[in-house]
Amino acid sequence: MSNLPQSEEPFHCESLPDLPTAFSALQCVKLHDEILICGGTKKGDCYSYHLEKKEYKKICCYPKAEALIVHTVVAIETNETADTVTLLSFGGHGTMKISYHTLKMDYQSVWKDQGKHENKWVALPKNITFGEKQSHVLRGARALVGGASQNLLFITRYPKMIDVIDLQSYEYLTNVKNNVLPVADGKFVCYHAFVSVGPNQFIVVCQNETIWMEFDERKTEFVFASLPPCPELTSYVEYSYACFGSKLFILGGFRLDERRDVNSIFVYHITTKQWFSCPLTTPFPVSSTAAVAAVHQLHPFIHVFGGSSTADEQLSMHLLFALQKQ
């Protein structure tokens, strides 16, 4: 039983059409009326889910599906009028012999006439591959786009690091100062939450720690501040998360201390800096899901896809959590 005050949302949960393929550790990106599903653990199939039609369409497949183990996908450039988005996918872990990859796709909606355009994953110029030379641990990393011109990629990764990449050259900035997250000894930044809350301002939730940070582009330096922690998340990893308005939702996850999946939902109110527990939970304990906030039919929802069950099976589930009374 949680000692946190209870939040009133989400209000209810329902099931939507299952994924065409069972996935765990899948990556999702919201684009207009679509949610793009870009591979999962050792599975390279990519789909688009249409919010209004409640249907899936195949997009393409990764060239080496077996290399996908807790990879990261982020939209780095969006054209709002042309239904086009540039997606970036990366991952790898040298000591665990997980192959490094960095690929991009200029996605055009599969729900409209694409002409001669082909949606496919391709290598970066000069075959640049994030983290390979440096032997970075990119398994369980998170990434966000920022910068005054949306020209920077911020990556938070194991053990406690923040990297900054120039999206024009795809090269790491080498003069970044104070790029180690101030988390306690024994904690690690992996399978965590990483959300944007303002221009070059972010929040990281790492186990029970909540950290605000800002990047000063002129000084190429990070500054940090500690925010109220969530004691209930002390040993939680592999949860999904979604931000809607001023609220950050943490759904499910895996408890390291008890070696089990959980079904809890927690909410962080960014404005008031308060943590809450939700009386509503996921239907069963689950980890390694993907969560996406979306508005359709004028109501806010969180979609939760796939995941891993207590029996360590990959799941095809698709849940919808309503954030307002209907």
Side-chain angles (χ1 to χ4, degrees), residues 95-111:
T95 56
M96 292 187 71
K97 297 184 178 179
I98 299 172
S99 299
Y100 286 91
H101 81 272
T102 305
L103 303 168
K104 74 170 184 173
M105 173 167 53
D106 293 325
Y107 173 77
Q108 289 188 13
S109 176
V110 293
W111 301 94

Side-chain angles (χ1 to χ4, degrees), residues 97-138:
K97 297 184 178 179
I98 299 172
S99 299
Y100 286 91
H101 81 272
T102 305
L103 303 168
K104 74 170 184 173
M105 173 167 53
D106 293 325
Y107 173 77
Q108 289 188 13
S109 176
V110 293
W111 301 94
K112 297 182 179 181
D113 181 13
Q114 300 173 56
K116 295 182 180 180
H117 180 81
E118 182 182 4
N119 291 317
K120 65 178 182 179
W121 292 106
V122 298
L124 295 185
K126 301 178 184 178
N127 288 312
I128 291 173
T129 305
F130 295 166
E132 186 169 22
K133 289 181 181 178
Q134 305 88 342
S135 296
H136 287 170
V137 175
L138 297 179

Side-chain angles (χ1 to χ4, degrees), residues 193 205 233 239-242 248-252 264-267 275:
V205 179
L233 291 174
Y239 43 75
S240 58
Y241 61 95
L248 169 62
F249 295 84
I250 304 284
L251 304 100
S264 52
I265 299 177
F266 299 102
V267 186
W275 280 99

Side-chain angles (χ1 to χ4, degrees), residues 279-292:
L280 183 65
T281 63
T282 59
F284 49 84
V286 64
S287 61
S288 297
T289 57
V292 179

Side-chain angles (χ1 to χ4, degrees), residues 55 73 103 130 135 144 166 191 247 260 263 318:
E55 297 174 3
V73 176
L103 303 168
F130 295 166
S135 296
L144 290 169
D166 183 335
Y191 308 112
K247 296 174 184 175
R260 65 178 179 89
N263 65 347
H318 180 182

